[in-house]
Amino acid sequence: MTDTKFTPRVFSGIQPSGNLTLGNYLGAVKRFVEMQESGIQTIYCMVDLHAVTVWQDPETLRHNTRELAAAYIACGLDAEKSILFNQSQVSAHAELGWLFGCVARLGWMNRMTQFKDKAGKNAEKMSLGLYGYPALMAADILVYHATHVPVGEDQKQHVELTRDIAAKFNHDFKTDFFPQPEPVIDGAATRVMSLRDGTKKMSKSDPSDLSRINMTDNADTVAKKIRKAKTDPEPLPDNLEDLAGRPEARNLINIYAALNGQKPEEVIAEVSGQQFGQFKPLLADLAVAKLSPIGDEMTRLMGDVAEIDRILGAGADRAAEIAEPILAQTFDIMGMIRSRR
Ligand code: AMP
Ligand code: TRP
C-alpha cells in the first residue's frame, strides 16, 4: 500500500565504513541501479553521519566515503540520473534526525536488533548516537518524502520504525505530512551469508576477511575465497527444498543466481548432481567476470578524487533543494518560528 498523495521517490544509503562487500552489492547497490533505470527519482547517500556512531579514523573515513562513491558509480549509478551525495553535506538530515529523536520512544529503540547485535554486552560503552541511529535513518528517508527504500533484509526493522515515526508524527500533529515508506527487499540475495559460516550475515566488520568478498578484491583473491568457502561433502540436489539444513550450499547458490540474474530454482536445476569441486570454479569464474570490471573502474575513479568530491557537492546541492523545504515545513508544523531572512 503506497500512499497515493506522494510521488514515488526512492532513497537509500550505505555507511562509508570500508570493505564494501558482495552482500552490499547484491543486497543493495545492484538494486539501486535497477531502480534508477526504472525512471523513478532516485536519491542515494553515503551515510557518514551514521558511520561515526562507531569510531572512524578521520583520514580513513574521507577515503572510504570517496571509495563508496566510486563503487556506486562503478556499479552503474549515474550522477545525472540519480542524486548522489554524502549525508553530512545536507544538514537537514541531522536537523530532522533531532526532531525525530523527540518523536521516537525509548521502548521502540530498545527493540532494535541491530543495536543489540552491535552493542553486545557492552551497551553502556556504546555512543548515544549508535542508540539513536534509527531516528536519523528515519530522517534520511522522510526528509525527501521518499516512498521506497531498497535495502537488504537486515534493515527491514529500521524501515518499519521509520513508518512508526511518520505515523506518530502525523498523529500527534494531526497532519498527513509524512508518507509511509515501503522497504523494497527482493531478489535472490537479500541476505548474503558469510563464506565461513552460512548462519551469519556477510559483513564489513567480520574479523575474518575470508568470510566476505570485498568489491576491491582482485581476481585471485575472489577465486581463493570461493575455493576456501565452507561447504559440505554432499553433491548439489535437484531442488531447493533439499538444501534445507545446508546453509553454506544455499548461500553459494543464491550468490550465483543473483550474480547471473537468475532465480535460485533455475541455478539448482542446472547444477544438480555437481560436487562443490565442480561448482566452486563455475561460481568463481562468474564472480570474477562480474566483479573485476567494477573493481577496475573503482580504481580508475579513485585516481581523480577532485572529480568525486565535485560530484558529491553537486549531488548535495540537488538533495538540499528537496530536503530544505520539507524540513522548514516540519519546523512550522511543530510550532518553531522561522523568521531569518
Ligand atoms: P551497511 O553496510 O550496513 O551500511 O549496509 C548497506 C546496505 O547493504 C543495506 O541495505 C544492507 O541491508 C545491505 N547489506 C549489508 N550486508 C548485506 C548482506 N550480507 N546481504 C544482503 N544485503 C546486505
Ligand atoms: N542503516 C543502514 C545500514 O546500516 C544505512 C542507512 C542509513 C540507510 N540511512 C538509511 C539505508 C536510509 C536506507 C535508508 O545499512
Side-chain angles (χ1 to χ4, degrees), residues 14-15 23-24 27-28 151-152 154-155 189-192 201-202 204:
I14 297 183
Q15 302 187 56
N24 297 129
V151 280
D154 62 325
Q155 294 302 311
T190 56
R191 193 167 162 82
V192 178
K201 174 181 96 149
M202 181 180 287
K204 287 169 177 168

Side-chain angles (χ1 to χ4, degrees), residues 12-29 31-32 47 50 68 72 114 118 133 137 149-156 184-185 189-194 200-205 251:
S12 195
I14 297 183
Q15 302 187 56
S17 41
N19 286 337
L20 194 72
T21 69
L22 182 66
N24 297 129
Y25 174 60
L26 296 176
V29 188
R31 315 224 348 282
F32 296 180
V47 290
H50 279 105
L68 180 56
Y72 276 6
Q114 180 167 302
K118 283 199 184 175
Y133 176 121
M137 177 160 161
V149 186
V151 280
E153 184 66 42
D154 62 325
Q155 294 302 311
K156 186 168 181 218
V184 183
I185 303 171
T190 56
R191 193 167 162 82
V192 178
M193 309 309 279
S194 157
K200 266 173 46 187
K201 174 181 96 149
M202 181 180 287
S203 158
K204 287 169 177 168
S205 54
N251 187 39

Side-chain angles (χ1 to χ4, degrees), residues 251-297:
N251 187 39
L252 296 186
I253 294 290
N254 284 354
I255 292 174
Y256 189 102
L259 281 171
N260 214 25
Q262 285 180 293
K263 293 203 169 71
E265 292 82 350
E266 294 165 357
V267 175
I268 199 82
E270 286 171 19
V271 301
S272 78
Q274 289 189 11
Q275 297 285 346
F276 283 101
Q278 282 172 283
F279 179 65
K280 279 180 170 179
L282 290 182
L283 176 60
D285 286 349
L286 175 65
V288 168
K290 298 283 177 181
L291 302 181
S292 304
I294 298 176
D296 292 348
E297 180 63 2

Side-chain angles (χ1 to χ4, degrees), residues 95-130:
E95 294 175 73
L96 188 62
W98 175 263
L99 300 179
F100 284 170
C102 303
V103 173
R105 306 289 96 182
L106 286 183
W108 302 1
M109 296 296 172
N110 288 336
R111 286 197 288 276
M112 294 296 115
T113 54
Q114 180 167 302
F115 178 79
K116 290 187 214 168
D117 291 347
K118 283 199 184 175
K121 295 194 180 68
N122 291 323
E124 296 283 316
K125 294 209 174 90
M126 295 295 125
S127 70
L128 182 57
L130 186 69

